[in-house]
Amino acid sequence: MNPGTFLTPDGCRFCVWAPDRSRCELVLVGPAEGIYPMEKDSAGYWTVTIPGVQPGWLYRYRLDGREEFPDPASRCQPQGVHGPSQVVDDSFPWTDRSWRGLALSDYVLYELHVGTFTPEGTFAAILPRLPELRELGIRALEIMPVAQFPGRRNWGYDGVYPFAVQVSYGGIHGLKTLVNGCHEAGLAVVLDVVYNHFGPEGNYLARFGPYFTDSYRTPWGPAVNFDGAGSDEVRRFFLENARSWFFEFHVDALRLDAVHAIHDESAFPFLEELALRTQDWERELGRPLVLFAETDRNDPRLVRPRPGGLGLPAQWCDDFHHALHALLTGEKHAYYVDFGGIADLAKAFSQGYVLDGRFSSYRRRRHGAPPDGIRRHQLVVFAQNHDQVGNRARGDRLSVLVDFPSQKLAAAALLLSGFLPLLFMGEEYGERRPFPYFVDHENPELLEAVRKGRQREFAAFHDVAGTEIPDPAAEATFASAVLQWEYRHDGSHGVLWELHRELLLLRRRFPILQPRESIEVAAAADEPSGLLRFRRRSPEAEAEVFFNFSSGPRPVAIETDRPPAGKLFDSEEPRWLGTGAVAPGRLEPGSVLILAPRSAVLYIRE
């Protein structure tokens, strides 16, 4: 028994899990009306098949003859999270049969929010921009959550119908059209899914069954029941959800939001089961499928193979961002207190984790574990993402926090790191509009609670004295986040766009810059001078990047002792609006390399 609605030759089969209810009825509310008793099986699934039901018909479930609710496995909520569910036709004219997927090591991710990526805020409006993203060097579109949420404005993490696609974005058909278009453009699709909590409005799952547990809590509300009584069917609910994205929607990868908030103390954790199932589905579909675990735990067990690990393919690496951000901005509040030195960034270049069991002043305890055995293509790194931008008081981007040379330096550090890089929409051209937090709840009391909660959060997290925090419920807050895409090729914006394209082109052209297992890495930092040297070596080639993170005013002179190597990138060249190409075009033993403040130079020997 799978929950949801299924069109069959005999009619439409309705199925819902409500194990503790003594009575369940299907209520059709349009265009035809009627109340139909449902039959219950031993696992607590209620079913009924109704002839003549067509796509577009609306329905609810009536529990114990009293309360009526939408379907927890609804595929469409045309009237919002409180309205009736809708029967849908899941057929689609796919034309992506030649798509064979993307190997994990080839991922270059571009994270976007559907509602603010374009003025239209729809799946359809993204399609015309795909060719340029491909030209930039993007290989995978990572879409922030699209499960139906309250209203029209939300980051997506307040979704309450995991199987439904946000109507205002274009619904199921719109998402499938986008995925199909991505594959035709040679782009993989990563979908952000939230299995650790549900949003606070329109969440009726607890009325149907033990979807939640009191044994744990999350920062966002009740924890999902993955290991308590009744958890077998709860787990199945989410496994079926994951399967639907891969099979029905042709999605290539899932980003699993905040897996550290998926509490599960069972001997066979949900994440391990999901990883195993995904391997089965990969074989069945004949193309690569990926699970990206988003976590701040620095726990290598997530990606270590079974037995001993959970066997997930890859995970987010916050430490790279924190080390780079703290170094460029000088910020020391909240978790940035644990970062700031060049040695921290060198460690991030070497192994991803900076906090690998060492003491964290922010947490006042040791944090993380050594990332032994983790390969570079198992870590996603970034200079910006929706969390690190949007959870600032004003949602301000790096482009308004640092100067242009520092933006170029951030791009070089990210794209030459040898990990899997992620760009946040607009980062490639230095978008200056913010990405603040925004919601569109219908409940005024909930809206006020959100406003006060954000104020408390920023009071504890940031020094926000005198800072006006944007009202998350205001439409103007949402509108302020819409990209100024039309400026992407103007002035310094265009130069930064071309710089990103050049670095990604070099990454594709030279295997030594890619996350391959045969490559040895080493990073060394000199704190007083601001110099960081990052070396990658394989039997066939060697690459070395010289970074000067000093804010000046004097350049740094380095006498090299390496074999001859040619220069492939210099952020100080005039075409990158630099001060002039001061680094020699070729390094020889004994050469003196002059590095301007906030600059990066790449040399490769083959």
Side-chain angles (χ1 to χ4, degrees):
M1 291 291 180
N2 291 329
T5 58
F6 304 89
L7 294 170
T8 73
D10 298 324
C12 183
R13 181 171 70 88
F14 296 82
C15 179
V16 64
W17 186 60
D20 299 326
R21 295 291 187 164
S22 60
R23 180 177 163 196
C24 185
E25 296 163 300
L26 168 70
V27 180
L28 292 179
V29 296
E33 297 181 358
I35 300 175
Y36 303 88
M38 304 178 75
E39 295 185 1
K40 184 180 182 181
D41 72 2
S42 59
Y45 287 93
W46 298 81
T47 59
V48 66
T49 299
I50 307 298
V53 173
Q54 299 295 318
W57 287 34
L58 302 175
Y59 68 99
R60 292 190 179 93
Y61 290 121
R62 180 178 293 175
L63 302 179
D64 291 339
R66 298 188 301 272
E67 301 174 299
E68 294 183 8
F69 301 104
D71 184 357
S74 170
R75 304 298 307 286
C76 183
Q77 291 295 123
Q79 299 175 26
V81 296
H82 302 293
S85 302
Q86 186 175 60
V87 177
V88 299
D89 181 359
D90 61 8
S91 61
F92 183 80
W94 292 99
T95 59
D96 66 345
R97 293 179 181 175
S98 62
W99 175 251
R100 292 294 177 262
L102 191 67
L104 178 58
S105 59
D106 291 333
Y107 270 77
V108 175
L109 299 106
Y110 187 90
E111 182 187 29
L112 65 81
H113 176 266
V114 175
T116 57
F117 185 61
T118 68
E120 298 84 356
T122 63
F123 297 126
I126 298 172
L127 288 167
R129 299 188 179 183
L130 297 181
E132 189 160 316
L133 292 177
R134 190 69 174 88
E135 180 188 355
L136 178 66
I138 300 302
R139 300 300 308 277
L141 219 61
E142 188 211 308
I143 304 170
M144 289 174 64
V146 300
Q148 186 75 36
F149 52 73
R152 298 175 60 86
R153 306 185 299 274
N154 199 286
W155 278 13
Y157 300 94
D158 288 327
V160 288
Y161 294 94
F163 289 86
V165 177
Q166 180 67 17
V167 173
S168 61
Y169 288 170
I172 286 177
H173 190 275
L175 178 57
K176 290 179 179 179
T177 302
L178 175 59
V179 174
N180 194 65
C182 284
H183 289 170
E184 290 184 333
L187 296 168
V189 177
V190 184
L191 184 63
D192 198 338
V193 294
V194 185
Y195 293 163
N196 57 70
H197 77 284
F198 283 76
E201 182 175 4
N203 175 13
Y204 298 111
L205 272 78
R207 307 295 182 95
F208 287 85
Y211 282 92
F212 303 98
T213 175
D214 294 329
S215 299
Y216 318 102
R217 294 287 296 178
T218 77
W220 313 283
V224 176
N225 175 25
F226 285 109
D227 63 1
S231 61
D232 286 354
E233 300 308 321
V234 176
R235 291 164 70 127
R236 181 177 180 181
F237 181 81
F238 289 100
L239 289 170
E240 286 300 321
N241 180 256
R243 187 183 188 280
S244 72
W245 298 125
F246 291 133
F247 280 77
E248 182 186 342
F249 289 84
H250 294 201
V251 162
D252 301 282
L254 299 178
R255 174 196 181 268
L256 308 174
D257 179 64
V259 298
H260 49 271
I262 296 178
H263 298 285
D264 184 353
E265 298 298 325
S266 66
F268 185 38
F270 169 75
L271 289 174
E272 184 177 0
E273 183 176 7
L274 177 59
L276 283 172
R277 290 287 190 93
T278 301
Q279 292 174 11
D280 292 339
W281 300 332
E282 184 177 64
R283 288 188 287 270
E284 188 174 346
L285 289 172
R287 58 184 174 88
L289 303 177
V290 179
L291 298 173
F292 294 103
E294 191 256 328
T295 175
D296 66 355
R297 291 280 177 86
N298 288 7
D299 184 354
R301 292 174 297 183
L302 286 169
V303 296
R304 283 178 182 155
R306 302 175 67 248
L310 299 184
L312 294 167
Q315 64 176 238
W316 254 231
C317 180
D318 283 352
D319 280 11
F320 185 93
H321 166 272
H322 298 345
L324 179 61
H325 183 94
L327 195 55
L328 291 175
T329 65
E331 293 182 358
K332 295 293 290 184
H333 58 264
Y335 43 68
Y336 295 129
V337 72
D338 290 323
F339 303 87
I342 295 176
D344 290 333
L345 185 57
K347 189 173 183 180
F349 269 107
S350 295
Q351 63 176 36
Y353 294 1
V354 176
L355 299 177
D356 56 359
R358 85 180 193 191
F359 184 80
S360 163
S361 297
Y362 172 63
R363 297 171 178 85
R364 295 186 291 179
R365 59 170 172 80
R366 289 174 295 172
H367 182 72
D372 299 336
I374 292 184
R375 294 169 290 179
R376 297 187 82 79
H377 69 260
Q378 293 184 292
L379 293 179
V380 176
V381 299
F382 35 84
Q384 301 180 67
N385 65 23
H386 78 274
D387 271 328
Q388 304 304 334
V389 174
N391 284 326
R392 299 177 64 85
R394 290 180 172 175
D396 37 5
R397 293 170 175 263
L398 192 62
S399 57
V400 302
L401 299 175
V402 302
D403 58 16
F404 188 69
S406 297
Q407 293 176 62
K408 294 187 292 180
L409 193 55
L414 172 66
L415 300 180
L416 298 177
S417 69
F419 296 111
L420 299 186
L422 176 142
L423 294 172
F424 181 52
M425 61 176 193
E427 177 182 350
E428 72 277 16
Y429 62 86
E431 175 63 63
R432 296 185 63 83
R433 281 192 168 183
F435 186 75
Y437 182 73
F438 44 80
V439 294
D440 188 24
H441 295 304
E442 297 178 23
N443 186 328
E445 294 180 358
L446 180 57
L447 282 177
E448 186 58 27
V450 170
R451 291 188 185 102
K452 292 180 178 179
R454 297 296 283 185
Q455 291 283 352
R456 287 193 301 270
E457 177 182 349
F458 290 126
F461 191 83
H462 294 288
D463 178 11
V464 294
T467 299
E468 183 179 351
I469 299 174
D471 180 2
E475 188 169 357
T477 301
F478 167 81
S480 73
V482 177
L483 294 188
Q484 300 177 104
W485 178 262
E486 63 274 16
Y487 296 141
R488 68 196 180 281
H489 295 311
D490 292 350
S492 62
H493 295 297
V495 171
L496 193 60
W497 191 95
E498 288 290 346
L499 182 141
H500 279 86
R501 187 176 73 88
E502 177 75 8
L503 289 171
L504 286 170
L505 181 63
L506 291 173
R507 190 178 183 275
R508 292 195 304 276
R509 178 182 169 191
F510 293 95
I512 191 66
L513 301 178
Q514 299 165 11
R516 300 197 174 190
E517 293 185 49
S518 60
I519 296 175
E520 300 176 4
V521 301
D526 182 66
E527 205 75 47
S529 67
L531 176 67
L532 190 155
R533 299 173 66 169
F534 178 51
R535 185 179 302 149
R536 297 169 58 79
R537 183 170 58 189
S538 73
E540 298 81 22
E542 183 173 344
E544 189 162 14
V545 193
F546 297 86
F547 298 96
N548 183 359
F549 280 91
S550 170
S551 56
R554 296 180 180 179
V556 175
I558 310 158
E559 185 173 343
T560 63
D561 58 356
R562 309 300 301 164
K567 183 172 71 172
L568 273 77
F569 172 80
D570 187 339
S571 65
E572 287 301 290
E573 291 180 3
R575 63 171 171 160
W576 309 129
L577 302 184
T579 58
V582 294
R586 185 171 179 81
L587 283 187
E588 302 286 348
S591 296
V592 176
L593 171 64
I594 307 296
L595 276 183
R598 296 288 163 117
S599 68
V601 184
L602 165 67
Y603 288 91
I604 287 185
R605 176 181 59 84
E606 290 187 299

